[in-house]
Amino acid sequence: MRHYGSVLVDEVDEPRPIREQAAMTLDLSGTYTYSTPGFPEPSETVTTRVSTRERDGMRMTSVRGLAPLLAGRIEAIADEGNRLHTLMELSTARIVISDTERDGPDSADTRDHGRLSTTYTGTADLPVTAVLDLAEQIRDQLAADRAAEETARSAEAARWDHLPWDIDHPDRELLDQAVEAGVPAGELVRIVGDHYLRYGHALRRTEELTIRRLVRERHDDLGLATDRQVELILSLLSERRRTGDGGGFQTGPVDRPGIEKLTRDQASTYIDSLKGAY
């Protein structure tokens, strides 16, 4: 068995071609450690790094540290010398993904009119085509990730676009908390006034206290964590970050919005866990 990233690979397993792994999610920050006999250091660790830059409307993505992404193919190379040779060739290689085609026909190290390219020159055990197949999978995964992020942003924007305040409102956090707690937007307008909300006027003290009271009442109706429980959990989490302590028998949310969604019983159990009160 050889270890790379968080996966153990049996050396007798036949690796699946990159194209057959299309349904698998690539770890684009994974690591791969291999022995380097005869070198000053006994081993070498490679980490995948992805960087994207945009210039003049063109997006270019560079992927370095390819070994973790090709670990299955590398482990299938039986001869240790050949395996090390392939790793050395991969060590300085990169993949470049562009959303703009390049001039001229594709060559051995390019694909899709130059939108995919690599500096890897290939070995007998790992041809350039395997790295270009990997480039296609990376491109598909990055595109899917960007689409998911855009969908999430659009959904979040649509969630609030019917409310009479925008992202820059000085009291947006409290107003959003009230909506999430189930306080009707119409009730907030009645308290504050549509004009003041729409034009970004900060809440007056009486308006703020009234809205906080409504939020607490909604939390009470739903049996959600009390303000005291929320503050205690935040304090305990802060202390753990400061001291580096870990453990506990329960994991949970680490930010205020997530903690406020806990029930009182869940918050109580979470507090016991953070205190180490088993």
Side-chain angles (χ1 to χ4, degrees), residues 4-148:
Y4 59 93
S6 58
V7 182
L8 287 174
V9 175
D10 194 327
E11 291 183 347
V12 302
D13 288 345
E14 289 295 327
R16 285 173 291 177
I18 292 295
R19 290 182 181 277
E20 293 181 14
Q21 300 179 36
M24 300 173 63
T25 300
L26 295 168
D27 181 359
L28 296 179
S29 60
T31 61
Y32 178 82
T33 299
Y34 61 95
S35 60
T36 52
F39 284 72
E41 297 297 329
S43 65
E44 179 76 18
T45 297
V46 181
T47 302
T48 301
R49 292 184 173 85
V50 180
S51 60
T52 300
R53 60 183 176 87
E54 295 190 26
R55 181 178 297 174
D56 299 328
M58 182 175 67
R59 179 187 290 113
M60 299 280 288
T61 298
S62 177
V63 185
R64 298 179 183 273
L66 304 181
L69 303 171
L70 294 161
R73 294 292 296 264
I74 294 167
E75 293 297 320
I77 302 174
D79 184 84
E80 186 174 1
N82 291 341
R83 185 166 60 246
L84 186 59
H85 171 61
T86 298
L87 285 163
M88 292 298 101
E89 292 296 314
L90 284 171
S91 65
T92 58
R94 64 173 177 156
I95 286 171
V96 177
I97 302 170
S98 171
D99 57 5
T100 304
E101 67 178 65
R102 300 180 182 180
D103 295 333
D106 285 334
S107 59
D109 56 359
T110 64
R111 188 176 290 178
D112 192 15
H113 304 288
R115 293 184 180 90
L116 301 175
S117 65
T118 181
T119 60
Y120 177 65
T121 56
T123 66
D125 298 287
L126 187 71
V128 177
T129 53
V131 173
L132 290 174
D133 287 345
L134 173 65
E136 287 192 15
Q137 189 181 356
I138 294 172
R139 180 175 62 179
D140 291 346
Q141 182 166 316
L142 292 175
D145 290 346
R146 286 194 296 270

Side-chain angles (χ1 to χ4, degrees), residues 31-273:
T31 61
Y32 178 82
T33 299
Y34 61 95
S35 60
T36 52
F39 284 72
E41 297 297 329
S43 65
E44 179 76 18
T45 297
V46 181
T47 302
T48 301
R49 292 184 173 85
V50 180
S51 60
T52 300
R53 60 183 176 87
E54 295 190 26
R55 181 178 297 174
D56 299 328
M58 182 175 67
R59 179 187 290 113
M60 299 280 288
T61 298
S62 177
V63 185
R64 298 179 183 273
L66 304 181
L69 303 171
L70 294 161
R73 294 292 296 264
I74 294 167
E75 293 297 320
I77 302 174
D79 184 84
E80 186 174 1
N82 291 341
R83 185 166 60 246
L84 186 59
H85 171 61
T86 298
L87 285 163
M88 292 298 101
E89 292 296 314
L90 284 171
S91 65
T92 58
R94 64 173 177 156
I95 286 171
V96 177
I97 302 170
S98 171
D99 57 5
T100 304
E101 67 178 65
R102 300 180 182 180
D103 295 333
D106 285 334
S107 59
D109 56 359
T110 64
R111 188 176 290 178
D112 192 15
H113 304 288
R115 293 184 180 90
L116 301 175
S117 65
T118 181
T119 60
Y120 177 65
T121 56
T123 66
D125 298 287
L126 187 71
V128 177
T129 53
V131 173
L132 290 174
D133 287 345
L134 173 65
E136 287 192 15
Q137 189 181 356
I138 294 172
R139 180 175 62 179
D140 291 346
Q141 182 166 316
L142 292 175
D145 290 346
R146 286 194 296 270
E149 290 171 3
E150 182 59 34
T151 299
R153 283 195 296 267
S154 298
E156 183 67 12
R159 184 183 181 191
W160 304 112
D161 65 3
H162 65 287
L163 300 174
W165 58 83
D166 59 27
I167 194 171
D168 296 324
H169 194 284
D171 296 291
R172 179 176 182 261
E173 183 176 353
L174 175 59
L175 294 167
D176 288 355
Q177 285 178 11
V179 172
E180 288 184 332
V183 179
E187 179 68 4
L188 299 174
V189 170
R190 186 189 67 77
I191 295 168
V192 182
D194 179 74
H195 176 82
Y196 281 84
L197 288 174
R198 191 172 300 279
Y199 291 97
H201 292 279
L203 297 176
R204 290 165 291 217
R205 181 62 174 166
T206 54
E207 295 168 346
E208 178 187 348
L209 291 175
T210 299
I211 292 172
R212 290 191 182 280
R213 176 179 56 78
L214 290 174
V215 172
R216 283 197 301 272
E217 289 175 354
R218 289 294 301 168
H219 284 183
D220 289 342
D221 291 342
L222 297 172
L224 297 181
T226 65
D227 290 345
R228 184 175 180 181
Q229 286 178 312
V230 171
E231 294 301 330
L232 180 54
I233 290 172
L234 288 169
S235 176
L236 291 170
L237 288 169
S238 177
E239 178 66 14
R240 286 209 164 192
R241 284 192 294 270
R242 186 184 67 80
T243 62
D245 289 342
F249 57 84
Q250 174 178 306
T251 58
V254 296
D255 59 357
R256 183 181 292 274
I259 295 168
E260 288 177 342
K261 291 182 174 65
L262 297 174
T263 66
R264 291 178 184 174
D265 287 344
Q266 288 172 334
S268 179
T269 303
Y270 195 14
I271 289 168
D272 287 343
S273 177

